[in-house]
């Protein structure tokens, strides 16, 4: 029996050598509870462990302990020690972030000198860039930009100022006489309606002129001032209710009003000519904002 | 359930020529939570006395922005447009 110890420490009963083959190659089950190494033994070599449970660790596990290993840690949760504040070089997949509250503190993600975060409060999600709220996704699904005039930049070759969609608005306004004659126009439908997309405004309105002998040229207010960075005049469609006047509408740069033009002469229709007539308009023009 | 409506001037824009674009919002709330917001707009041009009757902060903005030179420059630009059109 070369290589086989003669004694088994404090074994309380003898182990028949007949249980072992001559090369000690017989699989052996040692004990039913725990096995300890002697206090001078520091290594075990060529050992394959299966179904291992580490119940306690008396000192730190060497950094290379799990090197090149694919490890599943637990089947419920893993907690870091209370003094551990960072994990480095970690790639997480299939991650669910849960907390006692719905809040993730701002500046929770830090990249150099930039403060970026994804935070949640009252069911809304806020994205913070450089310390400022950039985008909020509300509980109804609406996306709100945090900065005035910020918008969607389309990835084309134009300068960003020419490719940013930064505004959409719908609303009403009250078309009023701007000719200086203080005429009280009847606004059919109650108000005019506008839709503004970017810097383009489309307005719809329907007005009736009172009976008047005013010789001033017609002039009607608009909800936005016409773009003043160009000498371009802009116009739109206008129809007189009884088709007795062939007209159109024109507005000039920097003005918040426009004139009804006669299609026959191209000149501004006078208030006296518009007297007791009803006009319907669809106008699209560029504004400053 | 409590429905309420309030009206505020929620946006003012001062343009390069001194015109003030005013947006008034009617805010509808249900039990204190906003459920709708409707906009109504108008524009006050330099020298327009009606601006002083508008809700705050329009009168204050008009007083601050509409200097004599701003008003005269605006009136000149409009007069020039009328000559071109008529």
């Amino acid at each position: 029996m070369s290589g086989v110890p003669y004694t088994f420490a404090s074994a309380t009963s003898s182990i028949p050598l007949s249980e072992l083959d001559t090369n000690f190659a017989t699989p052996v089950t040692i004990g039913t509870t725990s096995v300890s190494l002697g206090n001078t033994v520091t290594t075990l070599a060529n050992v394959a462990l299966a179904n291992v449970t580490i119940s306690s660790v008396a000192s730190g596990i060497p950094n290379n302990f799990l090197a090149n290993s694919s490890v599943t840690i637990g089947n419920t949760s893993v907690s870091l020690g209370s003094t551990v504040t960072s994990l480095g070089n970690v790639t997480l997949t299939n991650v669910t972030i849960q907390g006692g509250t719905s809040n993730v503190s701002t500046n929770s993600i830090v990249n150099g000198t930039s403060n970026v975060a994804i935070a949640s409060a009252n069911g809304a999600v806020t994205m913070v860039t450089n310390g400022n709220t950039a985008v909020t996704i509300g509980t109804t699904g609406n996306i709100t930009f945090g900065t005035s005039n910020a918008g969607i930049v389309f990835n084309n070759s134009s300068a960003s100022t020419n490719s940013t969609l930064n505004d959409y608005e719908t609303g009403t306004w009250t078309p009023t006489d701007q000719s200086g004659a203080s005429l009280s126009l009847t606004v059919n439908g109650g108000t005019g309606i506008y839709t503004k997309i970017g810097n383009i405004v489309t307005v719809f309105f329907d007005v009736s002129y009172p009976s008047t002998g005013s010789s001033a040229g017609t002039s009607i207010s608009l909800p936005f001032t016409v773009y003043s960075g160009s000498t371009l005049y802009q116009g739109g469609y206008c129809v007189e209710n009884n088709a007795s006047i062939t007209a159109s509408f024109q507005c000039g740069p920097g003005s918040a009003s426009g004139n009804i033009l006669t299609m026959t002469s191209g000149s501004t229709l006078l208030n006296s000519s518009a007297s007791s007539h009803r006009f319907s308009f669809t106008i699209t023009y560029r504004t400053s904002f | 359930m409590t429905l309420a409506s309030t009206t505020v001037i929620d946006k003012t824009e001062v343009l390069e020529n001194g015109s003030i674009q005013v947006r008034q919002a009617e805010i509808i709330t249900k039990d204190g939570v906003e459920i709708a917001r409707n906009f109504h707009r108008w524009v006050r041009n330099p020298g327009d006395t009606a601006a002083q009757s508008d809700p705050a902060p329009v009168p204050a903005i008009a007083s601050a922005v509409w200097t004599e030179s701003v008003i005269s420059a605006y009136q000149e630009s409009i007069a020039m447009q009328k000559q071109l059109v008529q």
Side-chain angles (χ1 to χ4, degrees):
Chain A
M1 285 302 294
S2 172
V4 177
Y6 294 106
T7 61
F8 284 86
S10 57
T12 57
S13 61
S14 63
I15 300 175
L17 293 178
S18 61
E19 295 293 326
L20 306 174
D21 66 14
T22 55
N23 296 318
F24 207 2
T26 302
V28 178
T29 300
I30 306 173
T32 58
T33 54
S34 65
V35 176
S36 300
L37 297 177
N39 58 10
T40 61
V41 176
T42 58
T43 61
L44 280 174
N46 301 322
V47 177
L49 303 175
N51 301 322
V52 176
T53 299
I54 301 175
S55 60
S56 65
V57 177
S59 59
I61 297 175
N63 291 337
N64 62 352
F65 185 76
L66 300 175
N68 303 318
S69 297
S70 177
V71 180
T72 300
I73 305 174
N75 57 14
T76 54
S77 65
V78 176
S79 299
L80 298 176
S82 60
T83 60
V84 177
T85 57
S86 66
L87 283 173
N89 301 324
V90 176
T91 300
L92 302 175
T93 58
N94 300 323
V95 176
T96 299
I97 300 176
Q98 293 180 321
T101 67
S102 61
N103 296 319
V104 177
S105 62
T106 56
N107 304 331
S108 59
I109 303 172
V110 179
N111 179 13
T113 58
S114 299
N115 293 327
V116 297
I118 299 175
S120 173
N122 300 321
V125 175
T126 299
M127 299 181 185
V128 178
T129 59
N130 200 25
N132 300 312
T133 297
V135 173
T136 298
I137 303 175
T139 55
T140 58
N142 290 328
I143 298 174
T144 304
F145 293 99
T147 305
S148 176
N149 290 328
I152 300 169
V153 179
F154 292 91
N155 186 18
N156 55 37
S157 59
S158 301
S160 63
T161 52
N162 297 332
S163 56
T164 303
L165 178 59
N166 61 3
D167 196 16
Y168 177 84
E169 181 182 318
T170 61
T172 62
W173 95 107
T174 304
T176 57
D177 171 52
Q178 301 293 307
S179 69
S182 300
L183 301 179
S184 180
L185 303 181
T186 298
V187 182
N188 302 300
T191 62
I193 300 170
Y194 68 81
T195 296
K196 180 173 181 284
I197 303 173
N199 59 8
I200 301 299
V201 185
T202 299
V203 297
F204 310 88
F205 60 106
D206 183 334
V207 296
S208 295
Y209 270 78
S211 176
T212 176
S214 166
S215 60
T218 53
S219 180
I220 303 174
S221 68
L222 295 168
F224 295 89
T225 297
V226 178
Y227 177 59
S228 61
S230 164
T231 57
L232 183 70
Y233 277 69
Q234 301 177 62
Y237 179 72
C238 166
V239 60
E240 198 276 329
N241 198 40
N242 295 315
S244 59
I245 300 174
T246 304
S248 63
F249 189 84
Q250 186 178 56
C251 47
S255 174
S257 61
N259 314 102
I260 301 173
L261 302 184
T262 60
M263 294 296 283
T264 51
S265 67
S267 59
T268 300
L269 186 71
L270 302 182
N271 283 332
S272 56
S273 299
S275 174
S276 301
H277 287 277
R278 177 178 176 175
F279 300 88
S280 302
F281 303 82
T282 299
I283 316 293
T284 296
Y285 64 97
R286 181 181 174 183
T287 186
S288 296
F289 272 49
Chain B
M1 181 184 72
T2 303
L3 289 173
S5 170
T6 56
T7 300
V8 298
I9 301 297
D10 76 335
K11 192 172 191 177
T12 55
E13 300 148 333
V14 180
L15 306 187
E16 190 175 351
N17 67 356
S19 292
I20 304 171
Q21 294 184 161
V22 184
R23 187 175 77 180
Q24 177 179 270
E26 180 190 26
I27 304 169
I28 311 296
T29 59
K30 175 183 169 185
D31 296 330
V33 178
E34 180 177 330
I35 58 173
R37 180 178 289 237
N38 300 315
F39 297 132
H40 189 78
R41 279 188 173 268
W42 64 90
V43 179
R44 296 304 184 200
N45 296 312
D48 190 342
T49 56
Q52 296 304 323
S53 302
D54 282 343
V58 179
I61 294 173
S63 298
V65 173
W66 293 350
T67 62
E68 288 300 322
S69 61
V70 169
I71 294 172
S72 61
Y74 174 77
Q75 290 174 340
E76 286 174 12
S77 70
I78 296 302
M80 188 176 299
Q81 284 182 25
K82 287 184 176 177
Q83 289 175 0
L84 289 171
V85 173
Q86 291 178 340

